[in-house]
Amino acid sequence: MSTTMTGSKGKTKSANNGAPGAPIVGGKILAEVGLPPDPDNLYTQTVGTMLHAAEVMNLPDYLKLILAQPKNEIMVHFPVKMDNGEFRLVKGYRVQHNNALGPYKGGLRFHPDVHLDDVKSLAFLMTMKCSLVGVPYGGGKGGIKVDPRKHSKAEMERIVRRFTSAIAHNIGPDYDIPAPDVGSNSQHMAWIADTYAFLSEVGGRDASAVITGKPVEFGGSLGREKATGQGVVDTLVEMLPELKLKPEKSTFSVLGFGNVGSWSGRIFQDKGAKMTAVADHTGFIINEKGIDAADLAAHVNAKGGVAGYAKASKCSKEDFYKTKVDVFIPAALEQMIQEPEAEMVNCKVVAEGANAPTTPGGERVLQSRGIEVLPAILCNAGGVTVSYFEWVQNKTFKSWDLATVDRELNKHMVQAAGKTRAARKKYNCDLRTASYIAALERLQHAYEVRGIFP
Ligand code: NAD
């Protein structure tokens, strides 16, 4: 089993993409492109989901092959001087999955366990997400194998600038545009833009379009920080009524209270929903009367996690998952909802804020229990959509006000939800398969008109 950066690390339970012992979905294509038949591997799982959707819609085999592997996998090693004068060799990645619809686009993860398989999976998901949400981008992802919490600001600056110099010839405002992800923030994006401006021939203000998620004072967009959470809530508002749920009357729990989780919580709460349980890497908390999401976000900012929050009770992992809510929002890492977690959750809808939080095995359990899953490529597409708005503002030297950003984001989210619903109706399938079909249809049309050259 390959090492993947997951919250489930160390678990032995199979996250097979078929029932235990069953053949892997898309096995023939995976074998043809040289992928090992490992059902627990995140990349096998994510590509397997696409191959399943491709079968349902009868996508031509040549497109399945193209999409089953990224175009480029870049791995770099670079020395960085630490504050104590010693040198460390740091590893970084940039995977460019597909650019049929436009420049590669996707975040940079700074995490000690980041691994090529994770980055490939996340790059692949970006191709699907950008296609579904109707932005003119392909998919990419990158990362640095580093724990930002263990480095001083000066060390992080040197690590980020050295990484940028190592990949500077592989990114660009019209070629590959990174963004923040787990562990990286707007300050890191500012250092990347600044370093790139010095190293590239683009220069000047144009160079800042090489990256999104920048601080607003340096070419960032209003609304980018909350965008993914905003998109999660836009999706919920769009999809809950047909599941006979009223957003303003819903209760919810959140796994992971970082950027995506805390903004989803704050914005859903502003719609009238009530948050009753939260978990992150520091612990699990519960309060059936409600936990104020803005107040908890302030606590997390000050203390680094939900642990020690005085206005809720500490609880066990089991109590957290078993808390009865209408909506459960996983917003931490990949593969956290496996079969045991899926057996425990006590909700009507799972809204995937994180990328690939539910394993195929976990999803089968959720489906058998009648729990609806709003898939990540739809639900968390708000971040890349507002990243696109940031890039458009950089390219046109304009600044949009927040109302414009929110309104335009909502249009993309509603449209993506509509395309997903239409595919579900046409193919009579689950929402995840439908979202992949809608994404694949746009890619298929692009390949049909572009052809393959030379
Ligand atoms: P973040 O670093 O701000 O937050 C991550 C959260 O996960 C933290 O609260 C952390 O405590 C929690 N966590 C980590 N390990 C955990 C564990 N073992 N158990 C419980 N909680 C754990 O990251 P983020 O930007 O909010 O990203 C979260 C997810 O959303 C990732 O899958 C990311 O790829 C995805 N995503 C992020 C964006 C974005 O704009 N930031 C956009 C789309 C998707």
Side-chain angles (χ1 to χ4, degrees):
M1 180 177 152
S2 63
T3 318
T4 55
M5 189 186 78
T6 70
S8 56
K9 213 172 188 131
K11 283 187 181 177
T12 50
K13 184 108 179 104
S14 170
N16 203 331
N17 77 349
I24 293 171
V25 175
K28 188 174 139 259
I29 299 283
L30 294 176
E32 201 164 333
V33 298
L35 286 167
D38 178 357
D40 288 331
N41 177 280
L42 180 62
Y43 192 68
T44 308
Q45 292 180 351
T46 44
V47 171
T49 309
M50 179 274 289
L51 292 173
H52 168 67
E55 287 292 318
V56 173
M57 69 183 285
N58 207 13
L59 192 76
D61 268 1
Y62 84 97
L63 287 174
K64 294 183 204 161
L65 285 172
I66 290 172
L67 294 170
Q69 283 283 25
K71 281 199 169 180
N72 306 311
E73 299 173 25
I74 300 151
M75 226 189 278
V76 292
H77 297 92
F78 49 94
V80 182
K81 197 171 188 177
M82 298 291 123
D83 292 343
N84 64 5
E86 287 176 8
F87 280 90
R88 285 258 308 272
L89 193 69
V90 182
K91 192 184 197 73
Y93 303 92
R94 187 70 189 166
V95 172
Q96 296 161 336
H97 178 263
N98 189 277
N99 61 351
L101 298 175
Y104 303 106
K105 183 89 189 85
L108 293 172
R109 182 167 291 195
F110 296 173
H111 195 285
D113 293 339
V114 77
H115 183 273
L116 185 61
D117 277 338
D118 310 319
V119 183
K120 278 176 67 173
S121 305
L122 295 164
F124 164 81
L125 289 170
M126 288 305 296
T127 300
M128 295 293 132
K129 197 182 300 182
C130 292
S131 178
L132 177 64
V133 84
V135 293
Y137 289 139
K141 203 83 180 189
I144 309 180
K145 205 170 179 57
V146 68
D147 186 345
R149 285 176 292 206
K150 294 205 172 130
H151 290 280
S152 67
K153 190 173 176 188
E155 282 181 354
M156 273 317 289
E157 177 169 357
R158 290 197 290 278
I159 291 169
V160 169
R161 288 189 187 274
R162 292 285 292 131
F163 172 69
T164 310
S165 72
I167 62 160
H169 297 297
N170 298 106
I171 58 174
D174 297 318
Y175 181 68
D176 183 357
I177 306 141
D181 189 68
V182 174
S184 58
N185 58 36
S186 59
Q187 171 64 78
H188 301 140
M189 302 304 112
W191 288 328
I192 292 172
D194 184 66
T195 310
Y196 180 82
F198 273 98
L199 295 176
S200 78
E201 285 162 14
V202 178
R205 172 100 191 260
D206 271 357
S208 71
V210 70
I211 198 145
T212 58
K214 299 181 290 292
V216 174
E217 316 78 61
F218 180 37
S221 177
L222 292 173
R224 173 61 186 90
E225 201 202 323
K226 70 176 176 101
T228 308
Q230 182 76 55
V232 169
V233 177
D234 284 0
T235 308
L236 284 167
V237 169
E238 188 62 19
M239 302 296 278
L240 287 186
E242 68 182 71
L243 303 169
K244 310 273 179 280
L245 287 171
K246 292 186 173 150
E248 67 281 7
K249 296 252 168 75
S250 298
T251 53
F252 67 102
S253 59
V254 184
L255 171 65
F257 209 70
N259 175 292
V260 179
S262 72
W263 280 111
S264 299
R266 280 175 270 187
I267 298 167
F268 202 23
Q269 175 177 285
D270 288 346
K271 298 272 175 211
K274 184 166 82 173
M275 184 169 81
T276 55
V278 184
D280 72 2
H281 71 288
T282 65
F284 303 86
I285 58 169
I286 189 167
N287 186 344
E288 304 256 327
K289 291 191 182 135
I291 299 170
D292 184 82
D295 194 49
L296 180 62
H299 171 87
V300 170
N301 274 341
K303 307 283 180 197
V306 302
Y309 184 64
K311 296 170 204 162
S313 314
K314 191 176 160 189
C315 68
S316 66
K317 175 180 172 179
E318 282 70 24
D319 287 343
F320 168 76
Y321 279 106
K322 287 181 178 171
T323 302
K324 188 171 183 201
V325 285
D326 296 308
V327 178
F328 167 50
I329 305 175
L333 300 177
E334 296 77 36
Q335 292 182 309
M336 293 191 78
I337 315 304
Q338 301 201 10
E339 288 95 325
E341 290 79 16
E343 293 285 2
M344 283 192 283
V345 291
N346 192 358
C347 65
K348 294 172 184 144
V349 178
V350 174
E352 293 186 333
N355 284 307
T358 314
T359 63
E363 179 143 21
R364 272 194 303 280
V365 173
L366 294 176
Q367 278 172 359
S368 72
R369 297 183 57 214
I371 296 170
E372 190 77 77
V373 179
L374 305 181
I377 65 163
L378 167 65
C379 217
N380 73 23
V384 73
T385 304
V386 176
S387 272
Y388 165 56
F389 299 159
E390 177 177 334
W391 183 75
V392 169
Q393 291 170 74
N394 293 160
K395 290 262 178 197
T396 56
F397 301 100
K398 283 187 177 157
S399 301
W400 298 6
D401 60 27
L402 185 57
T404 305
V405 171
D406 285 349
R407 191 182 59 245
E408 293 300 313
L409 169 60
N410 185 258
K411 270 193 216 165
H412 280 264
M413 298 308 299
V414 169
Q415 207 171 41
K419 284 199 277 183
T420 303
R421 265 198 299 257
R424 175 170 63 175
K425 194 167 170 207
K426 183 170 172 191
Y427 292 98
N428 190 24
C429 58
D430 60 277
L431 278 177
R432 191 184 309 280
T433 306
S435 67
Y436 275 71
I437 289 174
L440 289 169
E441 279 173 347
R442 184 169 168 223
L443 282 156
Q444 181 178 6
H445 293 151
Y447 271 101
E448 279 168 3
V449 291
R450 287 185 67 154
I452 291 174
F453 179 84

